[in-house]
Amino acid sequence: MNEQTIDTSTFQSFVQLIYERAGIRLGPNKQALVASRLGKRMRRVGISCYKSYFEYVRQDRSESELVALLDEISTNVTQFYREPRHFQVLARIMAEWEAQGQKRFRLWCAAASTGEEPYTMAITLAETLCSVADTKILATDLSTRVLDHARQGVYDSRRMEKVPKELIGRYFSRSGHGPEKMFAVSPRLKQMLTFARLNLSEIPFPMRGPLDVIFCRNVMIYFDNHIRKQLLEEMYRLLKPKGYLMVGHAESLSGLLSNFKSVEPSVYIRP
């Protein structure tokens, strides 16, 4: 067997492992995708047989190879100001809380990917609040690979297309020219963020809360309802009363959000 083919039995073994350890549900239609992504990792470790690679992952007691496998499987699609309505809501509620005398703010970006989303949150706070001295954003992801990118906070011109020019000038430093131009996030934003690996299917989470706002966008679509319900209950626990939860516009959570009150589509509040 070469790395271009994976038999159904071995595919199902990977599917079960990925579900048990990451909560990600993969259907039969994902077999070619899984084979392709695992093939990349297998070439790096010098294994050409999928079944042998599965045993290699299972026998690695450090679980570092499992982390690498999950890095390859997890999808990380993101951009600055994706689904911009949420950042308008964030600005409004933060301004209201500050006007009421709140000075300490704690937020969580549950699927940080390569960092565009939590940095957009940070820009929104810096533009809205009079002071961000006691403002912290926890940015987590399953993938260590994308978290490394997020910590660096350096993006090419293509990734910056959605960021208004005046905000680029305030919150990024530029280097290079033309297609090679790169934009580095300013220390002012970075000091607001803490990046950490977190598996959203392994509940309870180590955070204590209470949190003011949680962004958990476009990640629950990969989970089944059992995992989604557990995750929503845990986020409810972590949020303060009157705290906000933002989910992806495409995520259907009807029947799962009994404890939350809908404010507008994809925006919820803990009563």
Side-chain angles (χ1 to χ4, degrees), residues 210-224:
L211 300 170
D212 297 291
V213 177
I214 297 174
F215 273 54
C216 186
R217 308 192 307 165
N218 305 301
V219 65
M220 283 188 278
I221 55 175
Y222 300 106
F223 301 150
D224 63 14

Side-chain angles (χ1 to χ4, degrees), residues 14-262:
F14 278 112
V15 165
Q16 187 63 25
L17 176 66
I18 291 163
Y19 178 72
E20 289 174 354
R21 300 309 304 272
I24 299 170
R25 179 70 77 184
L26 297 166
N29 61 322
K30 300 294 185 182
Q31 185 162 331
L33 176 68
V34 169
S36 173
R37 293 188 176 179
L38 292 183
K40 294 177 184 177
R41 182 62 195 171
M42 289 161 59
R43 286 192 289 275
R44 290 195 190 102
V45 297
I47 297 175
S48 60
C49 169
Y50 285 102
K51 190 170 184 178
S52 298
Y53 179 62
F54 181 77
E55 292 303 320
Y56 178 73
V57 173
R58 283 209 317 167
Q59 292 169 15
D60 177 16
R61 295 190 177 185
S62 72
E63 297 200 339
S64 61
E65 190 57 35
L66 175 65
V67 171
L69 181 155
L70 296 176
D71 272 3
E72 294 293 346
I73 291 298
S74 55
T75 302
N76 296 286
V77 177
T78 188
Q79 64 182 30
F80 286 101
Y81 291 95
R82 184 183 187 188
E83 299 180 349
R85 174 61 185 163
H86 288 150
F87 300 103
Q88 297 169 6
V89 173
L90 178 62
R92 175 180 59 78
I93 61 179
M94 298 297 282
E96 290 174 358
W97 286 336
E98 188 178 50
Q100 294 165 6
Q102 184 172 338
K103 292 182 171 60
R104 180 184 186 275
F105 300 98
R106 296 294 182 267
L107 299 88
W108 174 29
C109 176
S113 188
T114 45
E116 286 91 329
E117 182 171 300
Y119 285 128
T120 306
M121 294 168 67
I123 292 170
T124 302
L125 301 186
E127 286 289 294
T128 302
L129 299 173
C130 295
S131 172
V132 294
D134 197 5
T135 299
K136 299 294 181 186
I137 301 170
L138 173 64
T140 66
D141 202 278
L142 177 66
S143 169
T144 54
R145 173 174 48 83
V146 297
L147 286 173
D148 287 343
H149 188 153
R151 286 189 187 97
Q152 293 171 15
V154 179
Y155 302 94
D156 61 28
S157 299
R158 180 181 53 83
R159 294 195 177 214
M160 299 295 295
E161 289 174 355
K162 299 289 186 180
V163 185
K165 289 183 179 180
E166 65 272 17
L167 298 182
I168 293 176
R170 280 201 281 276
Y171 299 108
F172 296 83
S173 59
R174 309 182 195 200
S175 63
H177 300 280
E180 304 301 319
K181 188 183 293 184
M182 303 298 289
F183 298 81
V185 175
S186 71
R188 181 185 177 192
L189 293 186
K190 279 191 171 184
Q191 68 185 8
M192 276 191 259
L193 275 79
T194 299
F195 291 98
R197 183 179 185 271
L198 184 70
N199 187 334
L200 294 178
S201 72
E202 294 181 352
I203 296 167
F205 302 140
M207 303 91 79
R208 289 187 300 172
L211 300 170
D212 297 291
V213 177
I214 297 174
F215 273 54
C216 186
R217 308 192 307 165
N218 305 301
V219 65
M220 283 188 278
I221 55 175
Y222 300 106
F223 301 150
D224 63 14
N225 282 347
H226 173 70
I227 299 291
R228 289 178 193 170
K229 192 170 189 304
Q230 286 187 329
L231 176 56
L232 288 164
E233 289 172 353
E234 182 70 351
M235 291 190 292
Y236 186 90
R237 177 186 74 81
L238 289 168
L239 275 172
K240 71 177 186 180
K242 307 300 182 184
Y244 281 76
L245 167 66
M246 318 281 188
V247 304
H249 290 308
E251 291 175 308
S252 175
L253 303 176
S254 57
L256 299 172
L257 286 159
S258 57
N259 293 325
F260 286 93
K261 179 182 177 183
S262 176

